Amino acid sequence: MFDFSHLVLDTARLRLRPLLPTDAPAVHALHADPEGMRYWSTPPWTDPAEADALIARDAAALAAGDFIRLGLERRHHGQAGQDGRLIGLCSLFAFHLPSRRCEVGYMLARDCWGGGLMHEALKALLGFGFGVLDLNRVEADIDTRNTASERTLRRLGFQLEGTLRQRWIVAGEVSDTGLYGLLRRDWLARDAAAAPPQPR
């Protein structure tokens, strides 16, 4: 597999990069927001040490090629809002190499919702996955009530392939999963002119 520990992907407004120990407060803030975690697979965090543990796990996993989790950092452009702040996370995980398949995950700070930033980040990450990693299929598991996430996936070309009833129980709340899939052939056909971003 790959060593992802130095993977950086740049978009017009974002830099996708591995997390650093100094990102712990921002990572904790993302996971501690009840509204941002409304449809997540775990309850909101209460202990800041969980962020330190996540970043430490990521460092080992990225080097081993186990999964990719990158922070979304706003790039400096000398404009209002372009402050270098860590505003979200996106990941490729659960790799099944014989089938060239994995899953995608993502989260974004609530005050950044609605600006197309996650679409921009995932377009870069999926381009890397289908291009450099030669993936054939990427899957997403979302709460069926999460209409914003559904719009994000459909805009990228994902298709709903099934509903898994009562798949998650988080803090006593039962929810269904919408299982979405995106094939390499559909990604390439949808945006044939887009070359996959290259790592630095």
Side-chain angles (χ1 to χ4, degrees), residues 168-180:
W168 291 99
I169 303 176
V170 179
E173 184 175 0
V174 181
S175 62
D176 298 338
T177 278
L179 183 62
Y180 288 77

Side-chain angles (χ1 to χ4, degrees), residues 25 36 39 46 56 66 78 82-84 99 106 115 122 133 153:
Y39 301 116
T46 57
D66 292 341
Q82 303 297 320
D83 52 11
S99 300
Y106 45 92
L122 291 178
L133 301 185
L153 292 174

